[in-house]
Amino acid sequence: MPDYFHSLSFGTSITPANGTPGAAPALAQLSEQLGYDLVTFQDHPYQPAFHDTWTLLTWVAAVTERIHVAPNVLSIPMRPPAVTARAAASLDLLSGGRFDLALGSGAFWDAIEAMGAKRLTPGQAVDALGEAIDVMRGIWAAGERVPLRVPGTYHHVDGAKRGPAPAHDIPIWIGAYKPKMQRLIGRKGDGWLPSTFYLKPGELRTGMRIIDEAAAEAGRDPREIRRLLNLSGTFTRDGGGFLDGPGTQWVEDLLPYALEDGVSTFILASDDPASLQRFAEEVAPALREAVTRERGGDGGGPTPRSTAVRAARHPGIVYDDLPATLASAAIEPGDARYSRVRSTYIRGGSPGLVLPVKDAVEVVEALAFARRHPDLPLGVRSGGHGISGRSTNDGGIVIDLSALNTIEVMDERTRRVRIGPGARWADVAQALAPHGWALSSGDYGGVGVGGLATAGGVGWLAREHGLTIDHLRAVDIVLADGRTVHASAEENPDLFWAVRGAGANFGIVVAFEFEVDTVGDVGWAQLVFDASDTAEFLESWSAAVEAAPRDLSSNLILGRRRRGRPAYAQVLAVVDSDDPDTVLDRLKPFAEIAPLLDQSIQIVPYAAVMANVRDGIHNGQGEPHAHSGLVEHITPEVAAEAAELIESGAAYFFQIRSVGGAVSDVPPDATAYANRSANFSVVAFGTNASGLDERWERLRRHFVGMYLSFETGLDPERIDIAFPGETLTRLRALKKRYDPENVFRDNFNVLGANP
């Protein structure tokens, strides 16, 4: 029999006895402490002396941190597969991807029948289990848009909703002993889980052969199927038989199972803490070492991806060339996790490969892999929010930085902090709050640091404290050639200049160093106005903003007017003061510009303002249509044309955000974000590109630039709008120096139409 060259793993099988309720969980925690990879429990719901296995698994997952949990095995006649699939996905999500599923067709049938299940013949049991697997995998396929239909004889669903997708691709192992069931494993299973107690001599090897043959007939690679083995024995001083002796004898007894029969997961059935410890300390490491030695120094690798996953791969990506450090975490279109990462907040995508990275070294490796695919799109994602949608693509590669989310105080005295690109601004605000600090950073806490901190950062404190990039003091950035360099005003100053406003063109920032502000509680106002005279309202609001002291920053949101109702405007404002009289004084001019329909004014921590995150999967669909512009003043002409755009219905969301103030204090040539004279940033979202484009063109003549993060247009001329001529000339020269092969070309490439 072949050695499948899987890396070895070790688990425990613990009796789910409830006589002492906490005993089984305690043994599970011990298993984790001893270094086991997996802890399992029998599933016998008809046994009053046993915990319900599903409840026990959930409890154990909650009181452990690293170890995987699994039933050994789950009785399908007692567990409806659609319900089980959702329960499994939920437990996998709650545990951070630590649930594995082992199924059985049922044992102890007298007890099962007494609980109301119908006895099946062996052939029926095979068919029933096969249908159950189809139902479960169909439920987990959350990315499929159509409802699930499985017209089975034993398990039938007709239009079931799919999802949730689990946190990882939950393997389905099957505990079985008969040839028909073994052939099912070859066709549909991810693993075989027999027990030495029930195996007769030669049956393990025969079963392996049947599984491999069935897999090959189904077009599968037998290496996709992991081979697990439940075992029990006794540690004694002198050998007395199979798994009866010292640890060295256990190693000798088990070595042929790994090398000749392909077993790669050994599960010790024992409730004895001393035996669990001896196996973990004497057997597992020695067996792993012996296998590696016999393999010529090869310790093996993970189970290969399934044929179904491989069939969903996009052409043009050499998936099998991924370095081992990235391969296990990589997410492909056929993976269960794919539906969670394919899209952004507003744009639907179908990348061919998403590479979650956990440190700067892996960023370098991921970039090197992407560079071997120069004809494919390359997206770089921090938090994934991405209004412009550039952090996903169709058929390309996405480097996901969300795990680089550390927030570290470097120097309390100088208020210097170091933040990873994957951190979200709500988390940053929460981390800074205990120090009495804040950093102006957009208006939504769910946005990732990386994208905003390289584009500009128009936030709630902008008029008083400037843009996010105005607080940036240094970055660590991975360049197109794979070098990681430090850039600041003193070191690589040209690169540091470019990163602040056009950073997506020059590399992948893996760490930001900011000097943050002292900010305590703030005034937080949410006001709703009757804006029936929309043009007049826009003029009056903008005038009130420009006349206000700098400690006030404000946003204005308008949408389509509903039939029979007035136009509503939502005005949001932050006043950097915890004095109620000051806050009210700043807001009073706004209350006088139009009929006030609703209001909420609070004194809250800045972190509370940013705690507006709606957690969940980013599940955008289609292509977003949004345009952005920077304007110095909302003149009567600007207001009239904006009102026409809103009233036409071409924009379902129209927003103006205050800039100016401290933003304008920075010289325009100090950063790549150069349009410092603007007092307002304007953005409009439409469902129809042509309808929005036509009316937006009338506004464009008033703009002095655009803010890249809110622009979805792809025509190269938009680069000429975004950057003044001298700035763009300098950016293009730096682009050719730092990225001569134009690797970072898919996020507002400064080379425009002439790369």
Side-chain angles (χ1 to χ4, degrees):
M1 292 298 294
D3 177 358
Y4 304 101
F5 279 84
H6 297 160
S7 58
L8 295 192
S9 62
F10 299 92
T12 61
S13 177
I14 296 167
T15 306
N18 60 27
T20 302
L27 287 172
Q29 290 174 305
L30 176 63
S31 299
E32 181 170 67
Q33 294 165 13
L34 292 171
Y36 285 95
D37 305 289
L38 173 70
V39 59
T40 70
F41 302 95
Q42 306 167 40
D43 182 40
H44 299 297
Y46 34 77
Q47 287 280 15
F50 285 179
H51 285 298
D52 169 68
T53 296
W54 200 269
T55 306
L56 179 59
L57 288 166
T58 305
W59 183 271
V60 168
V63 299
T64 55
E65 297 179 355
R66 177 196 55 80
I67 198 165
H68 279 230
V69 299
N72 194 347
V73 293
L74 203 71
S75 178
I76 280 299
M78 308 296 295
R79 309 277 184 177
V83 177
T84 300
R86 287 208 168 92
S90 296
L91 184 50
D92 197 51
L93 290 168
L94 291 168
S95 65
R98 293 191 290 122
F99 176 74
D100 301 324
L101 182 58
L103 303 178
S105 60
F108 307 105
W109 268 101
D110 290 342
I112 291 176
E113 284 185 299
M115 294 282 284
K118 181 180 178 182
R119 186 185 292 265
L120 301 177
T121 67
Q124 291 172 331
V126 172
D127 294 340
L129 187 54
E131 291 173 2
I133 292 172
D134 293 341
V135 170
M136 291 178 180
R137 291 212 173 107
I139 292 291
W140 294 334
E144 297 290 336
R145 303 296 186 191
V146 296
L148 174 64
R149 289 181 169 82
V150 177
T153 301
Y154 306 97
H155 301 293
H156 179 94
V157 294
D158 188 8
K161 293 183 178 180
R162 299 177 189 263
H168 84 306
D169 288 287
I170 297 175
I172 296 180
W173 306 324
I174 298 174
Y177 297 90
K178 300 299 182 182
K180 288 184 178 179
M181 196 66 76
Q182 290 163 348
R183 283 192 282 271
L184 174 68
I185 295 170
R187 295 195 307 272
K188 297 186 178 184
D190 298 309
W192 183 29
L193 178 53
S195 300
T196 56
F197 182 80
Y198 296 110
L199 286 169
K200 297 177 182 178
E203 286 187 338
L204 182 65
R205 188 159 298 185
T206 299
M208 296 290 189
R209 178 180 52 77
I210 293 172
I211 290 170
D212 288 355
E213 290 174 353
E217 290 171 3
R220 303 180 68 196
D221 183 341
R223 294 176 301 166
E224 299 172 20
I225 304 166
R226 196 164 186 89
R227 319 304 165 112
L228 307 92
L229 186 64
N230 289 314
L231 52 91
S232 60
T234 305
F235 286 99
T236 60
R237 178 173 302 186
D238 301 315
F242 179 71
L243 300 184
D244 183 0
T248 53
Q249 181 182 324
W250 282 60
V251 174
E252 292 176 4
D253 289 343
L254 295 176
L255 187 60
Y257 283 85
L259 297 176
E260 299 171 16
D261 297 319
V263 175
S264 54
T265 299
F266 294 91
I267 301 173
L268 177 63
S270 178
D271 298 328
D272 175 34
S275 296
L276 297 181
Q277 183 170 354
R278 289 196 66 176
F279 187 90
E281 294 177 353
E282 299 177 20
V283 179
L287 182 60
R288 185 178 280 121
E289 182 180 346
V291 168
T292 301
R293 184 175 58 252
E294 292 296 325
R295 287 173 172 171
D298 187 346
T303 308
R305 276 180 158 81
S306 70
T307 301
V309 170
R310 295 173 70 88
R313 290 176 166 178
H314 284 228
I317 299 179
V318 188
Y319 294 88
D320 293 333
D321 284 355
L322 270 172
T325 50
L326 300 177
S328 61
I331 303 173
E332 302 182 16
D335 291 336
R337 297 172 292 164
Y338 183 71
S339 63
R340 297 180 174 274
V341 300
R342 65 181 302 174
S343 301
T344 65
Y345 174 73
I346 199 168
R347 182 187 182 197
S350 57
L353 182 65
V354 178
L355 297 175
V357 291
K358 64 177 182 292
D359 54 34
V361 173
E362 289 192 358
V363 171
V364 173
E365 292 179 334
L367 180 58
F369 180 81
R371 288 196 63 180
R372 295 201 291 272
H373 302 77
D375 297 329
L376 296 181
L378 172 62
V380 180
R381 177 181 302 165
S382 54
H385 187 75
I387 295 297
S388 69
R390 300 296 184 270
S391 57
T392 192
N393 55 51
D394 292 321
I397 297 169
V398 171
I399 300 175
D400 188 323
L401 308 174
S402 57
L404 279 68
N405 59 0
T406 55
I407 304 167
E408 172 192 359
V409 175
M410 300 176 66
D411 190 324
E412 188 94 21
R413 182 182 59 83
T414 61
R415 303 188 306 278
R416 189 84 163 233
V417 299
R418 183 178 175 89
I419 304 174
R424 298 187 303 174
W425 288 113
D427 301 320
V428 173
Q430 191 66 41
L432 299 181
H435 303 276
W437 300 340
L439 178 58
S440 186
S441 50
D443 55 19
Y444 180 63
V447 172
V449 167
L452 183 141
T454 52
V458 180
W460 290 119
L461 303 173
R463 294 185 71 243
E464 183 177 26
H465 295 295
L467 302 172
T468 304
I469 60 171
D470 298 335
H471 296 267
L472 190 57
R473 298 294 176 260
V475 298
D476 290 336
I477 182 170
V478 177
L479 301 178
D481 61 6
R483 289 179 297 140
T484 301
V485 302
H486 189 73
S488 66
E490 296 77 30
E491 191 174 351
N492 298 304
D494 280 350
L495 179 61
F496 185 56
W497 173 86
V499 165
R500 290 173 292 165
N505 279 269
F506 295 92
I508 302 173
V509 177
V510 293
F512 297 86
E513 295 179 15
F514 294 100
E515 182 181 319
V516 300
D517 292 303
T518 299
V519 177
D521 289 352
V522 298
W524 169 231
Q526 302 172 80
L527 313 173
V528 179
F529 292 92
D530 181 338
S532 295
D533 189 340
T534 303
E536 174 63 27
F537 185 85
L538 292 173
E539 280 190 75
S540 300
W541 171 81
S542 64
V545 170
E546 290 196 54
R550 289 186 172 191
D551 58 7
L552 177 139
S553 294
S554 180
N555 287 359
L556 164 69
I557 299 172
L558 286 156
R560 289 195 189 102
R561 185 182 306 203
R562 296 183 181 180
R563 183 176 299 178
R565 297 185 181 183
Y568 298 121
Q570 183 178 19
V571 170
L572 307 172
V574 167
V575 179
D576 186 10
S577 174
D578 60 1
D579 176 52
D581 291 336
T582 300
V583 172
L584 291 175
D585 181 67
R586 300 292 189 266
L587 296 173
K588 185 177 179 181
F590 293 89
E592 298 172 352
I593 63 179
L596 183 60
L597 305 178
D598 196 8
Q599 62 177 312
S600 171
I601 303 172
Q602 304 168 279
I603 305 292
V604 299
Y606 177 74
V609 178
M610 294 300 292
N612 53 2
V613 181
R614 300 179 185 89
D615 284 322
I617 301 170
H618 287 154
N619 195 25
Q621 299 181 32
E623 287 286 340
H625 303 297
H627 289 313
S628 167
L630 294 167
V631 63
E632 292 182 343
H633 307 287
I634 307 298
T635 63
E637 294 79 13
V638 173
E641 290 173 6
E644 287 182 15
L645 186 154
I646 295 164
E647 291 167 4
S648 72
Y652 63 85
F653 179 90
F654 184 89
Q655 182 185 43
I656 306 179
R657 310 161 89 200
S658 60
V659 198
V663 177
S664 301
D665 291 344
V666 178
D669 61 352
T671 65
Y673 183 106
N675 298 302
R676 297 283 182 166
S677 64
N679 281 298
F680 300 98
S681 171
V682 183
V683 62
F685 291 77
T687 56
N688 181 286
S690 59
L692 178 61
D693 290 351
E694 178 183 346
R695 288 171 173 80
W696 190 257
E697 286 302 310
R698 302 174 192 174
L699 278 171
R700 271 182 59 175
R701 61 191 177 95
H702 303 289
F703 295 150
V704 294
M706 73 163 67
Y707 183 42
L708 296 181
S709 291
F710 289 101
E711 176 63 44
T712 62
L714 295 175
D715 52 295
E717 290 75 17
R718 301 219 172 260
I719 298 300
D720 298 309
I721 300 170
F723 299 102
E726 291 183 4
T727 300
L728 188 55
T729 298
R730 184 178 177 186
L731 283 171
R732 285 173 170 165
L734 290 172
K735 176 74 169 176
K736 291 179 180 178
R737 184 202 309 176
Y738 286 105
D739 185 14
E741 296 178 13
N742 204 17
V743 173
F744 301 108
R745 63 186 179 277
D746 293 312
N747 192 348
F748 292 104
N749 185 359
V750 294
L751 298 183
N754 301 298

